[in-house]
Amino acid sequence: MGLKIFNADEFNVKLKATIHASGKLGFTEATASALQMTNEAGVKFAIDEDNENELYLIYCKKIEKGAFKVNKAGDYFYVNAKSLFDALGYDYKNENIMFDMIESKEYGEYIYKLKKRAKPRKEK
């Protein structure tokens, strides 16, 4: 019998992203650090053909054809994916939509399943 030891460092970082009211997808500082984000990178999105409710994010260390460009403002990284979220019918203007990013071992490195959570936005 062999034991496999789990490294706590691999499980302590919670990867998250949030759709802002502007339609931009913003990444937490911890997520940007874990993915080693740069403003030379890109992001692609995909859905599971068998379950269109499952959205995936593919992080590309260098911008690729068809990818959304990763932008940086200060220490903050974001992707302007407003048109995609509009096409998917996400009501990000009235809802605070957050995603927990879960690394997808079945599809390979830098592919994350986006587990959606939403709650009404607070009125100002």
Side-chain angles (χ1 to χ4, degrees), residues 59-76:
Y59 179 69
C60 312
K61 288 191 175 206
K62 296 286 181 189
I63 190 77
E64 295 178 5
K65 184 175 180 172
F68 292 84
K69 182 173 180 359
V70 171
N71 298 294
K72 186 176 181 186
D75 291 335
Y76 174 73

Side-chain angles (χ1 to χ4, degrees), residues 30-103:
T31 301
S33 178
L35 270 61
Q36 299 175 347
M37 284 190 154
T38 69
N39 56 354
E40 297 174 3
V43 168
K44 292 182 180 180
F45 295 92
I47 57 170
D48 184 330
E49 291 178 331
D50 295 328
N51 182 356
E52 292 188 2
N53 291 324
E54 291 188 4
L55 184 65
Y56 290 83
L57 180 144
I58 304 161
Y59 179 69
C60 312
K61 288 191 175 206
K62 296 286 181 189
I63 190 77
E64 295 178 5
K65 184 175 180 172
F68 292 84
K69 182 173 180 359
V70 171
N71 298 294
K72 186 176 181 186
D75 291 335
Y76 174 73
F77 288 94
Y78 68 93
V79 173
N80 190 357
K82 178 184 184 312
S83 56
L84 173 68
F85 297 135
D86 287 342
L88 292 173
Y90 290 169
D91 187 9
Y92 53 83
K93 290 184 180 178
N94 295 310
E95 292 182 321
N96 187 13
I97 300 174
M98 300 151 285
F99 296 103
D100 294 319
M101 298 172 57
I102 303 160
E103 189 172 1

